Amino acid sequence: MNMTKPVSALLTLCLAFALMANVRAAEERPLVFGVLNQQSPLLTAERWNPLLTYLTEATGIPLQLKMGRTVQETDAMMGRGEFDLVYTNHNFQTEYDGVYKVIARWGGGPIRGVIVVPADSPLRTLKDLQGRQVAYPSADAFVAYAVPKVALASAGLQAQPGFAGNQEGALAQLKARQVDAAAVNSRFLAQYAEREGIRYRELFVSEDFAELPVIVHPRVPRDKADALRRALVGMRHDPKAAPVLLKAKSPGFEAADERDYDNVRRIYRRAGE
């Protein structure tokens, strides 16, 4: 009996199944969703994993949260194109600008860079910060570093900078009276003050900037990017998303495009970044 043909047919069939399995695995591989280090990894996961689970269920597109241990690591990962999508505004720095594209933004009003001191601090004006210790999240932050850096330089002032790693860290140092002032994102300031019960005084408040965007790498197929954009923007109107947004303390997401961040680029350029 000639067994060559049956064996050959069986091998061909096995190879076909193997190829189909590889294709299916590639199709199901999750898109990597990066998040800027504004909070600790634990708090970031608590906020973002439910959001990504909702988006996966709404679109059928698997998403996986990923971030570096530090802001610098996360920015470097973005620069190497390791993220398919990212929640950040550091992409508008000169070295990263022009690759990822905006598809939506965190909803609600604009954000501002603020420099604050404890409510009982003797410091009353921006000029009082000359030579004082100011906590920043990192030298890569936008509203919490580039913006106040430009403001202080424009006023001819030099403060002593310290870097706390993220927004929470900068405010924790202020609460512990380890620094004279802290420069932070206005949204995080309000949330932290409510949670920790601290009172503060603002010495500087910047112009308005659009909330942080969700950006997408050009390798992501357009149909997937469009589906994720629709799901993000649609969260505010979907009853199923309400508990997810409540837990994340998010107003939802809104439509946005590149032009919404022209003033972010301007500040980064003035700050030399």
Side-chain angles (χ1 to χ4, degrees):
M1 181 177 179
N2 186 353
M3 298 293 292
T4 303
K5 289 185 177 180
V7 171
S8 177
L10 181 60
L11 289 173
T12 300
L13 186 61
C14 289
L15 179 60
F17 277 121
L19 289 173
M20 289 173 62
N22 287 337
V23 170
R24 189 176 297 110
E27 291 177 344
E28 295 174 355
R29 188 175 296 119
L31 297 182
V32 179
F33 196 111
V35 174
L36 180 64
N37 307 58
Q38 294 183 305
Q39 298 175 287
S40 69
L42 177 61
L43 290 175
T44 300
E46 288 179 354
R47 168 169 284 182
W48 280 95
N49 275 330
L51 292 170
L52 299 189
T53 297
Y54 168 86
L55 293 172
T56 293
E57 293 174 351
T59 64
I61 302 170
L63 298 169
Q64 178 184 4
L65 176 64
K66 190 173 183 180
M67 61 191 296
R69 291 173 298 176
T70 65
V71 173
Q72 292 77 18
E73 285 188 13
T74 300
D75 284 352
M77 293 165 71
M78 176 181 66
R80 294 191 296 267
E82 295 183 21
F83 301 127
D84 296 299
L85 300 104
V86 199
Y87 173 72
T88 185
N89 56 6
H90 290 191
N91 59 300
F92 301 115
Q93 296 179 59
T94 303
E95 64 178 304
Y96 305 122
D97 201 8
V99 179
Y100 289 84
K101 299 300 180 184
V102 174
I103 60 171
R105 69 170 177 84
W106 191 273
I111 57 173
R112 303 169 186 87
V114 294
I115 301 177
V116 296
V117 297
D120 59 356
S121 169
L123 307 182
R124 296 283 175 177
T125 69
L126 195 63
K127 291 184 178 180
D128 294 332
L129 291 177
Q130 175 65 30
R132 298 285 187 163
Q133 292 182 313
V134 179
Y136 300 93
S138 77
D140 299 281
F142 174 65
V143 294
Y145 181 68
V147 171
K149 175 184 176 181
V150 168
L152 288 170
S154 298
L157 302 173
Q158 287 189 333
Q160 298 181 33
F163 301 105
N166 55 45
Q167 304 270 349
E168 297 269 341
L171 288 168
Q173 288 186 6
L174 183 69
K175 180 183 178 183
R177 307 297 177 113
Q178 296 173 352
V179 294
D180 298 303
V184 290
N185 174 320
S186 58
R187 173 163 58 84
F188 269 93
L189 172 63
Q191 292 176 353
Y192 186 90
E194 179 182 4
R195 188 180 76 230
E196 299 295 327
I198 67 168
R199 297 174 58 246
Y200 59 85
R201 181 187 309 119
E202 297 172 340
L203 301 188
F204 165 76
V205 180
S206 76
E207 64 180 285
D208 293 351
F209 297 96
E211 266 282 11
L212 272 66
V214 174
I215 57 177
V216 64
H217 195 278
R219 68 169 167 269
V220 176
R222 184 168 181 175
D223 60 333
K224 288 189 175 182
D226 287 344
L228 288 166
R229 176 184 53 77
R230 288 193 297 270
L232 282 164
V233 174
M235 288 187 77
R236 294 187 302 162
H237 310 293
D238 183 358
K240 293 180 180 179
V244 178
L245 295 175
L246 181 63
K247 184 175 181 180
K249 294 185 178 180
S250 170
F253 295 83
E254 298 179 11
D257 61 33
E258 293 291 315
R259 293 171 296 179
D260 295 331
Y261 297 91
D262 284 345
N263 61 345
V264 176
R265 292 183 174 94
R266 173 174 53 79
I267 293 294
Y268 267 138
R269 303 305 180 265
R270 287 185 62 188
E273 301 176 24

